Amino acid sequence: MKKVFIIKYAELNTKKDNIGMFLRTLKENIERTLEGYSVSITFDKGRMFVSLQDEDFESILERLQKTFGIHEIEVGYELENHEMETIENALISIIKESEFHTFKVETKRSYKEYPMTSLEVSKHLGGVILKNKQGIKVDVDHPEVTFFIEIRREYAYIYFERYAGLGGYPVGTLGKGLLMLSGGIDSPVSGYLTMKRGVKLEAIYFESPPHTSVEAKNKVLSLAHTLSEYGNDIKVHVIPFTHIQEAIYKSIPHDYMVTIMRRMMYRISEKIAHHNRCKILVNGESIGQVASQTLSSMSVINEVVTIPVIRPVACFDKLEIMDLARKIGTYETSILPYEDCCTIFVPTHPVINPEHEKCVEYEALIPYEELISEAIRNEEVISSNMKTDQEFSEYL
Ligand code: ATP
Ligand code: MG
């Protein structure tokens, strides 16, 4: 018998006409994350079946548990056929290796011509289990183990263990966004939450060498790599930001430095998004966290673009963001102590309520359009599509 994962879909029951697209994308995403394993995948509107021969069960499960669009993963066996004797033998060998005191059997028949009804199958197999294991009894209300039997036209399934999936929509079903990815804690979490809603991501990172180190950039690439384990090979657009930051530092009153710098980041991000068919910008801004994230700051920064800006952690407390960062595996990298370009040029008293007119007046002091074009011309695009952690660390 073959080991099989039975995948229950998350949130897809609300999709009617385009459910096929959601399921095909989920299948492709699973194929991609399981590349190199010999598994076969089939699906219907209710479930997806991933069957495997002698593959590494634990690591496949781990990958499925990082794939969005899955509500629950059931683990069991696909039998050679649906004959009662085959099912009995399989069950007997399964119960010999399992520890439990109470159980029940539940049967589903999608093959309606089967000679027994579902109830008859359940009763019969319940009897077989009782006969083959000591000290156990049936408990239909609160069993320790439920053996699900599913009878299909060609064969039968038995499954009895379940694991939670991540939920959300399959990545890629809702278009593409551009994540403004710094080395901090907030933006990777924002990226994760956006991917969870089915949005494929590319990322943009502003670097200011020599004021920022190569380690700061590698940290961002490493975060992109961690995020890409959730089903999306993230391309990182690295934008040289040194000239813009130096011009701002030289010519702009210091209390407005951060506001203007962020307006420049937004302008560049919008252009990169349009070039790469990204429909939204995503960032890690959180209301009130720093001076540039007050409502007035966010509004004068946001006004330089028309593309929608999604801020998934806008209303999260820092502690909530940190908890999520730990859960998704980005926290340890995010807290590595490398300066990013924002922290280096931070003035002692950044303006808390910046004004639109002043931004316009100050921006006229620098040739920002040329500087933006130059930065975009010199972007470096790096793929996080490296198959193994080893390949990735060699790149670093
Ligand atoms: P984070 O923890 O994500 O770094 P933060 O609290 O440090 O966020 P800021 O530095 O003000 O906040 O940045 C707000 C958001 O702007 C970040 O979450 C990120 O989306 C974006 N951002 C900041 N710096 C950069 C950068 N160097 N490259 C790309 N995006 C950036
Ligand atoms: Mg930051």
Side-chain angles (χ1 to χ4, degrees), residues 271-291:
K271 287 188 196 307
I272 297 288
H274 286 157
H275 283 161
N276 294 280
R277 298 206 189 87
C278 297
K279 291 202 177 71
I280 54 167
L281 296 183
V282 179
N283 68 35
E285 289 171 351
S286 176
I287 299 171
Q289 205 184 80
V290 286

Side-chain angles (χ1 to χ4, degrees), residues 181 195 200-203 218-238 381-389 391-393 395-396:
L181 183 59
M195 286 165 76
K200 191 175 155 69
L201 289 181
E202 297 199 8
N218 290 343
K219 184 175 156 183
V220 169
L221 295 179
S222 171
L223 290 170
H225 183 61
T226 305
L227 283 180
S228 69
E229 287 171 13
Y230 294 92
N232 171 199
D233 303 326
I234 297 172
K235 224 194 255 175
V236 184
H237 301 262
V238 180
V381 183
I382 301 173
S383 166
S384 68
N385 181 17
M386 278 155 251
K387 293 287 173 294
T388 61
D389 288 341
E391 252 175 68
F392 190 74
S393 54
Y395 175 85
L396 299 180

Side-chain angles (χ1 to χ4, degrees), residues 6-9 19 23 43-49:
I6 295 155
I7 288 170
K8 291 197 172 157
Y9 309 134
I19 188 164
L23 299 185
F43 66 92
D44 59 32
K45 281 196 176 163
R47 268 116 10 113
M48 195 164 287
F49 300 87

Side-chain angles (χ1 to χ4, degrees), residues 31-176:
E31 279 166 352
R32 182 152 3 101
T33 189
L34 297 184
E35 210 182 305
Y37 293 101
S38 56
V39 294
S40 66
I41 304 175
T42 54
F43 66 92
D44 59 32
K45 281 196 176 163
R47 268 116 10 113
M48 195 164 287
F49 300 87
V50 179
S51 44
L52 37 147
Q53 216 76 53
D54 301 313
E55 301 288 342
D56 181 353
F57 167 79
E58 290 294 331
S59 66
I60 292 181
L61 177 63
E62 205 176 290
R63 281 162 196 247
L64 292 175
Q65 284 189 294
K66 281 188 160 184
T67 303
F68 291 119
I70 296 176
H71 167 63
E72 197 172 73
I73 304 159
E74 322 255 18
V75 185
Y77 293 95
E78 182 183 295
L79 311 186
E80 298 80 55
N81 55 52
H82 60 212
E83 299 307 324
M84 188 44 75
E85 198 187 336
T86 311
I87 303 175
E88 284 173 8
N89 289 339
L91 254 184
I92 291 168
S93 74
I94 290 167
I95 59 170
K96 285 207 170 117
E97 286 168 23
S98 335
E99 271 305 312
F100 61 95
H101 301 97
T102 57
F103 76 99
K104 73 170 171 180
V105 179
E106 256 184 45
T107 306
K108 255 197 198 155
R109 277 178 330 160
S110 58
Y111 176 51
K112 298 293 178 203
E113 290 89 74
Y114 201 68
M116 291 164 86
T117 65
S118 298
L119 202 61
E120 284 166 354
V121 174
S122 296
K123 277 194 177 152
H124 173 75
L125 292 174
V128 170
I129 294 176
L130 286 171
K131 221 186 288 163
N132 283 278
K133 198 171 176 77
Q134 303 297 312
I136 55 168
K137 58 178 196 231
V138 174
D139 180 344
V140 284
D141 297 319
H142 304 288
E144 266 173 71
V145 189
T146 301
F147 293 100
F148 292 95
I149 314 292
E150 180 156 333
I151 296 174
R152 308 197 123 213
R153 179 172 295 279
E154 302 85 15
Y155 39 74
Y157 290 109
I158 302 178
Y159 47 95
F160 47 91
E161 269 177 73
R162 53 180 64 183
Y163 298 87
L166 281 183
Y169 293 133
V171 173
T173 49
L174 280 127
K176 196 161 65 165

Side-chain angles (χ1 to χ4, degrees), residues 181-187 262 289 293 318 340-343:
L181 183 59
S182 66
I185 295 171
D186 308 329
S187 48
R262 297 195 59 72
Q289 205 184 80
Q293 294 168 22
K318 191 75 188 185
D340 83 15
C341 63
C342 303
T343 44

